[in-house]
């Protein structure tokens, strides 16, 4: 390996690392606020890529059916809950948030099906139709068991991943897709070619991380979310609903997962089940950050990307083995050096 | 009509009954205290009043049955609990803690800023520590922040669980002076204390709780001279 190859591998690694950064930060965000390790998060990324590909092929994406079913289920559960709590006056609000809002982008896609929209419109619609999936899953699957232990929530997450993966096969079929390149440009920096796509990916990761920073530090909802993550009881006593914080966390996380899906679709072939392995690698990054620190998570994810890129060059059969083997020393290091955060005691 | 009325409320953890058929009332503008030894069920009573643990019986606010409302809805109605453990946001600044105290208010930035200025007037120490993390404050400052954060919500009913717990006597006196001064804001207070003498000196009305039941009640000025209470709770010359 000479220095030029090393440079190319590093750039490639940083680009895929940036994808993992987007997903890993979503992992940490959702875990901090809800204590849920949202395993199907990678699936959201894959479904985004598949949806965008369907729109490019002027087909009706399977996502629409999925969102419709989830929205209907969530609405039924919400109405039943409000009826039992004797708060019927909140039903119109629930209908708006659980039925009208999630179905609006799906309706637009359905109405415009058959026509090829401009690329920007396709991306916006894809993100809009993907966004409600995770918050709806949160409402349907996690909210009824919100007070369970982290372990129970994790087991449910794994089950949910398999269910989603199956639905993915049903809605999108077994074929892999790759979308049009977002940017056709290659710069030569110090004799090394850097693709515009790679630059776009890294810029997006930085942009979304900065956005999240602004959200947490300068908005009331961001602060409320942070408050929920450090002290649930205290937050409830301020009138901050953990359910609402959870929904916002899932929405913001989904936005990042969707962005990563849009960005990865032109460079990797994505299948209905590609999400799991992408999510798992991002998860390694999140573990490096201890599931609490956003900056360390970002560094860890970039490291995973670079490691993967070098591993693929040195021995492509052992690529995954090398990446996941990193987890063991990292876990050892973390368990020796970190003061363990006590699991939140229940009053 | 009473601001808070608790009627025949029972709280149990599994088979253990922590609160048994308790009824009490807090009138508008009143300071009411519940005193009693450790494990009498005082904290359980407050926790169920804010809706954090389920109970049987009826809890009313201004005559409206709120027994089935969740904690957040009760906070929106003007209930506010400062729990024994304060439950501050340790990794957030004093300013952000106070700002989140006003989370359920919908009356605009100017009004919230005004409340914050009022809190600073009452607790000048908090203004000095504005950008410091809540977790780095001293015990007394934390209690001040917890009270300040509660006042940011402009509550109708402030429920205080052992506000003097773990504080030095001098600071305890300061805290009780502040609690008494809240009367002028028109806020009603339900105060739970082991420091019975200080509590009864501050309050208008008192209840005495023992093993989950209310065993005495009456105007605070009467209770403080009640020989039965003096021997049990007030004997050692507390404070």
């Amino acid at each position: 390996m000479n220095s030029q190859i090393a440079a190319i591998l590093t750039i490639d690694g940083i680009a895929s690392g940036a994808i993992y950064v987007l997903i890993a930060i979503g992992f940490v965000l959702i875990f901090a606020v809800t204590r849920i390790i949202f395993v199907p998060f990678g699936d959201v990324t894959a479904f985004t890529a598949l949806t965008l590909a369907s729109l490019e092929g002027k087909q009706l994406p399977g996502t629409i059916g999925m969102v419709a079913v989830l929205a209907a289920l969530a609405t039924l559960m919400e109405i039943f809950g409000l009826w039992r709590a004797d708060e019927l006056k909140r039903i119109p609000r629930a209908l708006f948030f659980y039925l009208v809002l999630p179905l609006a982008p799906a309706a637009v896609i359905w109405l415009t099906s058959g026509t090829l929209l401009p690329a920007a419109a396709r991306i916006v619609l894809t993100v809009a139709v993907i966004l409600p999936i995770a918050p709806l899953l949160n409402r349907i699957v996690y909210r009824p068991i919100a007070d369970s232990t982290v372990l129970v929530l994790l087991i449910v997450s794994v089950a949910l991943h398999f269910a989603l993966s199956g639905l993915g096969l049903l809605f999108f079929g077994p074929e892999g897709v790759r979308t049009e390149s977002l940017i056709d440009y290659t710069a030569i920096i110090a004799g090394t070619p850097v693709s515009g796509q790679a630059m776009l990916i890294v810029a997006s990761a930085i942009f979304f991380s900065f956005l999240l920073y602004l959200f947490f530090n300068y908005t009331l909802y961001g602060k409320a979310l942070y408050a929920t993550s450090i002290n649930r009881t205290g937050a409830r006593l301020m009138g901050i609903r953990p359910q609402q914080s959870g929904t916002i966390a899932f929405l913001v996380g989904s936005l990042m997962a969707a962005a990563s899906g849009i960005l990865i679709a032109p460079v990797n072939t994505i299948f209905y089940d590609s999400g799991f392995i992408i999510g798992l690698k991002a998860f390694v990054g999140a573990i490096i950050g201890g599931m609490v620190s956003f900056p360390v998570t970002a560094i860890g994810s970039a490291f995973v990307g670079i490691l993967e890129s070098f591993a693929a060059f040195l021995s492509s059969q052992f690529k995954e083995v090398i990446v996941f083997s990193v987890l063991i020393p990292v876990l050892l290091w973390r368990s020796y050096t970190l003061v363990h955060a006590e699991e939140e005691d229940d009053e | 009509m009473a601001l808070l009325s608790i009627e025949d409320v029972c709280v149990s953890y599994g088979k253990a009954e922590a609160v048994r058929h308790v009824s009490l009332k807090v009138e508008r503008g009143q300071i009411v205290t519940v005193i009693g030894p450790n494990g009498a069920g005082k904290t359980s009573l407050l926790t169920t009043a804010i809706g954090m643990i389920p109970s049987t019986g009826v809890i009313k606010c201004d005559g409206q049955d709120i027994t089935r409302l969740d904690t957040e809805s009760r906070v929106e109605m003007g209930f506010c609990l400062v729990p024994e453990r304060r439950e501050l946001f340790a990794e957030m600044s004093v300013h952000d803690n106070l700002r989140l105290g006003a989370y359920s208010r919908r009356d605009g930035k100017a009004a919230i800023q005004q409340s914050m200025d009022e809190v600073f007037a009452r607790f000048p120490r908090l203004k000095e520590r504005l950008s410091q993390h809540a977790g780095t404050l001293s015990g007394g400052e934390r209690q001040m922040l917890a009270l300040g954060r509660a006042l940011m919500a402009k509550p109708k009913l402030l429920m205080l669980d052992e506000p003097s717990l773990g504080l030095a006597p001098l600071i305890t006196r300061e805290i009780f002076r502040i609690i008494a001064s809240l009367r002028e804001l028109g806020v009603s207070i339900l105060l739970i204390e082991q420091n019975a003498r200080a509590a009864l000196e501050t309050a208008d009305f008192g209840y005495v709780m023992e093993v989950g039941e209310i065993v005495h009640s009456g105007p605070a000025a009467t209770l403080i001279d009640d020989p039965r209470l003096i021997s049990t709770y007030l004997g050692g010359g507390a404070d």
Side-chain angles (χ1 to χ4, degrees), chain A residues 84 223 230-231 236 241-242, chain B residues 68 70 72 87-88 96:
Chain A
R84 273 212 330 193
K223 285 175 183 173
I230 51 186
N231 187 342
R236 291 195 64 193
R241 289 169 199 276
Chain B
R68 287 165 80 185
D70 60 12
E72 294 85 349
E87 305 288 3
L88 296 171
D96 286 354

Side-chain angles (χ1 to χ4, degrees), chain B residues 146-175:
Chain B
L147 279 173
R149 187 178 68 169
L151 292 177
M152 286 298 293
K154 274 202 171 173
K156 282 194 273 186
L157 175 69
L158 188 56
M159 296 189 271
L160 305 173
D161 193 354
E162 305 270 2
S164 75
L165 194 80
L167 299 182
L170 205 66
I171 299 171
T172 301
R173 211 167 299 149
E174 173 72 8
I175 294 282

Side-chain angles (χ1 to χ4, degrees), chain A residues 32-303:
Chain A
V33 176
T34 64
R35 301 175 308 124
I36 296 166
I37 294 173
F38 191 53
V39 180
F41 210 41
D43 296 316
V44 176
T45 300
F47 291 170
T48 309
L50 291 160
T51 305
L52 186 61
S54 303
L55 289 184
E56 271 179 13
K58 291 197 273 186
Q59 290 162 328
L60 205 57
T63 337
I64 292 185
M66 196 183 278
V67 172
V69 170
L70 292 178
L73 270 175
T75 307
L76 281 177
M77 288 175 76
E78 190 66 21
I79 288 177
F80 182 68
L82 288 175
W83 173 69
R84 273 212 330 193
D86 211 9
E87 295 195 60
L88 297 177
K89 62 181 191 298
R90 281 170 60 187
I91 284 184
R93 196 173 167 276
L95 282 177
F96 177 74
F97 279 106
Y98 288 99
L99 201 64
V100 177
L101 215 52
L103 286 181
V108 173
I109 290 179
W110 192 66
L111 290 172
T112 57
S113 69
T115 48
L116 186 65
L117 298 163
R122 292 198 298 265
I123 291 173
V124 169
L125 273 180
T126 301
V127 173
V129 79
I130 286 291
L131 275 186
I133 291 180
L136 288 172
L137 286 172
N138 175 40
R139 174 65 190 90
I140 297 166
V141 179
Y142 295 108
R143 199 173 294 172
I145 54 164
D147 293 325
S148 311
T149 60
V150 172
L151 181 65
V152 170
L153 293 171
L154 173 64
I155 294 169
V156 169
S157 283
V158 173
L160 187 59
H161 156 70
F162 285 113
L164 273 186
S165 202
L167 286 177
L169 179 60
L170 184 72
F171 283 118
F172 297 105
E175 298 85 21
V177 298
R178 201 180 262 244
T179 59
E180 284 169 16
S181 177
L182 294 169
I183 191 166
D184 279 319
Y185 169 77
T186 303
I188 308 288
I189 297 170
T192 312
V194 182
S195 72
Q197 184 73 26
M199 287 192 268
L200 188 66
I201 291 173
V202 173
S204 305
I206 293 171
F207 171 74
F208 279 105
S209 305
F210 184 64
L211 218 59
L212 204 62
Y213 169 82
L214 292 181
F215 175 66
F216 274 127
N217 283 285
Y218 296 99
T219 69
L220 186 61
Y221 280 125
K223 285 175 183 173
L225 221 65
Y226 187 43
T228 308
S229 77
I230 51 186
N231 187 342
R232 250 177 127 73
T233 308
R236 291 195 64 193
L237 290 174
M238 303 297 106
I240 301 167
R241 289 169 199 276
Q243 304 94 315
Q244 198 188 24
S245 298
T247 305
I248 297 173
F250 271 98
L251 262 180
V252 174
S254 297
L255 179 66
M256 306 192 76
S260 70
I262 301 282
L263 292 165
I264 203 175
V267 282
N268 283 24
T269 305
I270 300 291
F271 298 86
Y272 72 95
D273 61 350
S274 301
F276 183 63
I277 207 82
I278 299 172
L280 209 54
K281 283 175 190 157
F283 187 65
V284 175
I287 291 288
I288 294 175
M291 294 303 276
V292 285
S293 164
F294 290 106
V296 183
T297 295
I299 294 167
S301 308
F303 168 71

Side-chain angles (χ1 to χ4, degrees), chain B residues 31-35 158 160 163 176 179 189-193 199 202:
Chain B
I31 299 183
V32 173
T33 185
V34 179
I35 58 175
L158 188 56
L160 305 173
F176 275 105
I179 292 169
I189 296 173
L190 178 56
L191 170 68
I192 277 185
E193 258 300 325
T202 315

Side-chain angles (χ1 to χ4, degrees), chain A residues 279-344:
Chain A
L280 209 54
K281 283 175 190 157
F283 187 65
V284 175
I287 291 288
I288 294 175
M291 294 303 276
V292 285
S293 164
F294 290 106
V296 183
T297 295
I299 294 167
S301 308
F303 168 71
V304 170
I306 295 170
L307 182 74
E308 185 190 13
S309 158
F310 277 85
F313 176 75
L314 296 171
S315 165
S316 65
Q317 304 97 303
F318 284 107
K319 184 179 91 169
E320 319 287 19
V321 176
I322 293 171
V323 169
F324 292 119
S325 301
V326 168
L327 252 188
I328 296 165
V330 163
L331 285 173
L332 285 175
W333 161 64
R334 287 223 76 106
S335 61
Y336 285 130
T337 56
L338 275 186
V339 184
H340 290 274
E342 289 296 324
E343 179 140 322
E344 194 180 341

Side-chain angles (χ1 to χ4, degrees), chain B residues 15-178:
Chain B
K15 275 184 184 162
E17 278 193 307
V19 175
R20 285 187 291 199
H21 306 287
V22 164
S23 299
L24 65 79
K25 272 191 167 73
V26 180
E27 301 288 345
R28 226 164 247 288
Q30 228 184 8
I31 299 183
V32 173
T33 185
V34 179
I35 58 175
N38 249 335
K42 305 188 300 291
T43 297
S44 298
L45 186 64
L46 277 200
T47 318
T48 201
I50 197 80
M52 283 242 176
I53 46 173
S55 62
T56 61
V58 179
I59 300 171
K60 285 181 183 165
C61 171
D62 277 334
Q64 185 195 344
D65 187 347
I66 58 164
T67 318
R68 287 165 80 185
L69 289 188
D70 60 12
T71 302
E72 294 85 349
S73 305
R74 294 184 203 198
V75 171
E76 280 160 14
M77 289 183 78
F79 280 31
C80 186
L81 170 66
V82 179
E84 197 180 304
R85 292 169 34 171
R86 331 289 199 231
E87 305 288 3
L88 296 171
F89 305 118
E91 288 114 272
M92 295 176 94
S93 68
V94 168
H95 173 272
D96 286 354
N97 269 276
L98 291 174
R99 178 63 191 87
L100 286 170
Y103 181 82
S104 60
R105 279 169 63 177
R106 296 283 173 266
D107 51 358
K109 265 195 172 139
I112 288 171
Q113 186 55 47
Q114 196 196 337
S115 300
M116 206 176 276
D117 291 337
E118 284 165 19
V119 168
F120 293 148
R122 212 172 280 276
F123 306 101
R125 283 292 273 284
L126 294 182
K127 193 169 189 182
E128 293 165 27
R129 304 260 185 269
L130 200 56
S131 56
Q132 210 170 310
H133 278 189
T136 64
L137 299 179
S138 73
E141 288 167 347
R142 276 184 216 192
Q143 185 58 48
M144 288 177 193
L145 178 55
L147 279 173
R149 187 178 68 169
L151 292 177
M152 286 298 293
K154 274 202 171 173
K156 282 194 273 186
L157 175 69
L158 188 56
M159 296 189 271
L160 305 173
D161 193 354
E162 305 270 2
S164 75
L165 194 80
L167 299 182
L170 205 66
I171 299 171
T172 301
R173 211 167 299 149
E174 173 72 8
I175 294 282
F176 275 105
R177 191 189 60 73
I178 290 165

